[in-house]
Amino acid sequence: MSKSRGMTKAELARAVTQHSNVAATDVDRVLESLAEVVLAELSPEGPGVVTLAGLVRAEVAPLPERSERAGRSPATGEPITIAARPARSRGKIRLRPLKPLRDVL
């Protein structure tokens, strides 16, 4: 694996297959199922939190309300007013490394 580009899904599947002695087709199905479950949990209908054992916790974080404020047009440099934005309960995904992953880093 090249550190500059990261590990691809195929490389991950191959590594898990070698490490666990599980058939490659089974590993592929598990990785596909894992992706589906994580997407479902983080979707608007899901609870918004997924913990991948010992690695990372993914959660949907709210975006706070933003009031109207002054700004500058990047094209002309003239002052403009930037519109207010209401709060959203599901704004962005926050990934937090868990202790075993932090210990490796």
Side-chain angles (χ1 to χ4, degrees):
M1 179 185 86
S2 171
K3 290 187 183 256
S4 63
R5 66 172 174 81
M7 182 180 265
T8 65
K9 180 182 170 189
E11 291 170 338
L12 176 62
R14 193 176 317 114
V16 171
T17 299
Q18 292 171 353
H19 186 73
S20 66
N21 295 323
V22 175
T25 55
D26 293 337
V27 170
D28 286 336
R29 278 192 295 234
V30 167
L31 290 176
E32 288 292 328
S33 296
L34 177 64
E36 290 174 14
V37 169
V38 169
L39 291 173
E41 292 296 309
L42 296 177
S43 72
E45 297 81 33
V49 177
V50 175
T51 301
L52 297 176
L55 294 175
V56 68
R57 176 183 169 99
E59 59 186 313
V60 179
L63 283 179
E65 177 182 334
R66 216 182 244 178
S67 59
E68 188 175 271
R69 63 194 193 278
R72 293 209 173 268
S73 169
T76 63
E78 294 181 23
I80 60 170
T81 301
I82 300 171
R85 183 186 72 196
R88 292 188 288 174
S89 62
R90 302 182 73 81
K92 55 184 167 181
I93 295 178
R94 178 181 300 145
L95 298 174
R96 294 176 37 200
L98 298 178
K99 184 158 177 31
L101 183 57
R102 286 193 314 261
D103 289 345
V104 169
L105 301 175

